[in-house]
Amino acid sequence: MGGMSTSTIPLPEALAELRDAFLDTPEKERLQLLLEVSRELPPLPARYADAPERLERVQECQSPVYAIAEVSDDGLVAFHASAPEEAPTTRGFASILAQGLTGLTAQQVLDLPDELPLMFGLTRSVSLLRLNGMAGMLTRAKRQVREQLAARTV
Amino acid sequence: MPAPTDPAQKLAEYAHPERLVTTQWLADHLKDPELVVVESDEDVLLYETGHIPGAVKVDWHTELQHPVVRDYLDDEAFAGLMRAKGIGRDTTVVLYGDKNNWWAAYTAWVFTLFGHRDVRLLDGGRGLWTAEGRDLTTDVPAREAAEYPVVERDDRTIRAFKEDVQAHLGLGPLVDIRSPQEYTGERISIPDYPEEGVLRGGHIPTARNVPWARAVAEDGTYKTRAELEAIYTAGLGMSPSDDVVTYCRIGERSSHTWFALTYLLGYENVRNYDGSWTEWGNAVRAPIAQGEEPGEWVA
């Protein structure tokens, strides 16, 4: 699944490294890698932890996930998310995006391929249904970035 | 030889007490050689974060579904799955999982399609086991492959297809176990689960709505037999000899209710319609009802 069509799409460095790490791992062990990645999800910065209403609920996820992609004054994106401990798959998705999106320019985030969630070789071991959760996070992150850019140009 | 029945008093009241085990009983029987503990979760990684010692994992989505047909494993593949998990035909299977055992009950239902005889649920599921501070481990057991015969799946006794539901309408009770908002048609997905898309909101005509969670106490265990009878038998005017069909969105939450009606209350003819709303709600020319009334079936 995916194969040549998605693995050759150029990605920013951090995401490309993550993608390669997954694709270089035998399929049976990719879940374990996703679990390791899930453990790297950074805690929310205090300004969000104290004000969860500033985050957006990711409806596509099966668990209560809240996320925000913020654009700093210098135009760089930071992706923050929280998901419950008992939802490690979702935490893994969020962690991939937190590591992969943070530090990109707003334009780089907007240019990310929408099929990004399919590029980690997880379709069989995690399933398309569950990968919808990551697609939902990415779609929302892009929209949040667009909204912040638009608000600045007004 | 099946494992012994949990003698807990609460369970003894149920029609089939041998189908549930308490957390304490399971903790005391983890080493029984005739018993295999199976975890089935919504989250495909939860088992890897820690599970009941000795438990194997069966994922409802990547392991129980047919790879290309919307259906369950075929007979050969099921036997292969059981062999690989180290489960023999006479093994006592104790299932547990997250979300109050939704997926564990679903796995129990699928195992029962193949006639596996001794399938039990851990009352309270993963939530209660962890809430009680019981042992978890990340060690994956190296179980020896078991013998398992190829058994023909029985799609008649506890499974209903769309055509069966059509034939059933107006003749017997139909229980819609989704949230009230899904039932009335205000929303087309379970709160928080929008990914299984449907085109229309509402319910199958004549269905009565009893959200699955009404069967569950605060600690995630099933309510007592008397409480369940008040909800289903008295509440819906059903009797254990009725032909009953349960459904939800893809058949997982309704497996939880199928289990309660069949094994806890002794209903003899309960079928789960696994096509559920994701089939009926999208089916060409299938009538639906909206709002709080069950609606009528006009043949």
Side-chain angles (χ1 to χ4, degrees):
Chain A
M1 170 69 223
M4 294 305 291
S5 57
T6 54
S7 62
T8 52
I9 296 175
L11 287 178
E13 193 179 343
L15 277 172
E17 277 177 18
L18 271 168
R19 175 190 62 187
D20 294 346
F22 275 97
L23 296 183
D24 291 344
T25 300
E27 190 171 27
K28 281 186 170 254
E29 293 161 33
R30 285 180 198 157
L31 274 185
Q32 200 59 40
L33 179 57
L34 185 61
L35 182 62
E36 286 162 26
V37 172
S38 77
R39 294 188 174 126
E40 297 162 5
L41 178 67
L44 285 176
R47 63 186 182 283
Y48 289 119
D50 299 341
E53 69 281 358
R54 294 179 60 199
L55 302 170
E56 180 172 338
R57 173 81 195 253
V58 182
Q59 296 288 350
E60 291 80 0
C61 284
Q62 298 192 338
S63 336
V65 179
Y66 296 86
I68 186 153
E70 55 178 13
V71 185
S72 66
D73 292 337
D74 52 7
L76 296 181
V77 171
F79 180 84
H80 305 290
S82 77
E85 290 293 336
E86 63 271 18
T89 303
T90 305
R91 291 179 70 84
F93 296 160
S95 185
I96 287 175
L97 295 182
Q99 296 179 40
L101 268 54
T102 300
L104 298 185
T105 66
Q107 192 58 48
Q108 277 178 307
V109 169
L110 296 178
D111 289 342
L112 287 175
D114 289 330
E115 60 267 46
L116 181 74
L118 305 180
M119 298 169 73
F120 297 88
L122 291 168
T123 308
R124 264 198 299 255
S125 50
V126 170
S127 84
L128 268 182
L129 187 67
R130 288 165 168 143
L131 285 169
N132 272 347
M134 195 187 339
M137 285 185 217
L138 179 62
T139 306
R140 284 158 195 273
K142 286 187 178 184
R143 200 201 64 237
Q144 290 161 350
V145 167
R146 262 194 303 273
E147 285 171 356
Q148 290 167 71
L149 292 182
R152 279 175 202 183
T153 54
V154 173
Chain B
M1 266 291 288
T5 295
D6 181 345
Q9 196 179 354
K10 177 203 167 197
L11 306 186
E13 296 174 358
Y14 294 129
H16 297 279
E18 73 280 8
R19 292 293 183 163
L20 275 183
V21 303
T22 57
T23 49
Q24 186 58 52
W25 184 92
L26 184 59
D28 293 340
H29 287 79
L30 282 180
K31 299 234 159 70
D32 286 13
E34 67 273 26
L35 178 152
V36 176
V37 184
V38 177
E39 175 159 349
S40 273
D41 295 317
E42 176 174 289
D43 192 296
V44 69
L45 271 180
L46 194 52
Y47 170 90
E48 281 77 3
T49 67
H51 49 263
I52 295 179
V56 299
K57 164 185 172 180
V58 171
D59 185 62
W60 69 274
H61 194 60
T62 59
E63 292 188 294
L64 295 181
Q65 315 286 321
H66 191 285
V68 289
V69 182
R70 181 173 174 188
D71 203 350
Y72 300 99
L73 293 176
D74 62 25
D75 308 341
E76 283 281 352
F78 181 75
L81 176 77
M82 299 300 261
R83 288 173 195 149
K85 302 290 177 187
I87 300 172
R89 188 66 174 163
D90 296 323
T91 301
T92 295
V93 171
V94 176
L95 280 153
Y96 76 102
D98 61 359
K99 304 269 169 177
N100 290 315
N101 279 340
W102 283 8
W103 308 97
Y106 184 76
T107 300
W109 180 74
V110 174
F111 280 17
T112 306
L113 289 177
F114 289 94
H116 193 90
R117 285 179 210 98
D118 192 359
V119 181
R120 311 182 188 186
L121 282 184
L122 172 64
D123 202 20
R126 185 183 166 99
L128 184 60
W129 183 275
T130 53
E132 290 173 346
R134 295 183 186 274
D135 286 349
L136 295 174
T137 179
T138 53
D139 294 341
V140 176
R143 292 192 59 78
E144 266 181 51
E147 297 281 317
Y148 205 94
V150 175
V151 184
E152 189 181 352
R153 196 178 66 214
D154 174 0
D155 284 338
R156 308 302 313 166
T157 310
I158 62 165
R159 187 179 188 191
F161 295 109
K162 175 165 160 278
E163 297 71 26
D164 301 323
V165 174
Q166 274 165 339
H168 175 81
L169 294 182
L171 299 176
L174 181 61
V175 185
D176 180 325
I177 64 74
R178 297 172 303 156
S179 63
Q181 296 80 13
E182 292 170 271
Y183 177 84
T184 58
E186 279 168 63
R187 56 185 307 156
I188 56 175
S189 63
I190 170 178
D192 315 339
Y193 290 68
E195 72 280 7
E196 279 120 10
V198 282
L199 296 173
R200 303 175 299 168
H203 54 270
I204 301 175
T206 75
R208 311 275 298 278
N209 184 215
V210 182
W212 70 277
R214 289 195 58 202
V216 173
E218 265 186 36
D219 62 0
T221 58
Y222 276 113
K223 286 181 177 165
T224 63
R225 179 164 188 173
E227 290 170 322
L228 293 176
E229 277 173 346
I231 293 167
Y232 297 104
T233 307
L236 293 182
M238 300 199 302
S239 116
S241 59
D242 282 344
D243 274 327
V244 180
V245 173
T246 60
Y247 76 93
C248 56
R249 163 188 65 124
I250 57 170
E252 92 292 12
R253 288 172 287 171
S254 46
S255 296
H256 186 276
T257 299
W258 161 81
F259 189 94
L261 291 173
T262 302
Y263 297 125
L264 308 187
L265 295 185
Y267 279 59
E268 289 157 22
N269 301 296
V270 184
R271 287 175 294 166
N272 186 29
Y273 169 38
D274 55 280
S276 278
W277 193 250
T278 54
E279 179 178 47
W280 192 282
N282 287 326
V284 175
R285 305 208 295 185
I288 65 169
Q290 291 178 317
E292 290 173 12
E293 295 302 319
E296 285 179 13
W297 170 249
V298 184

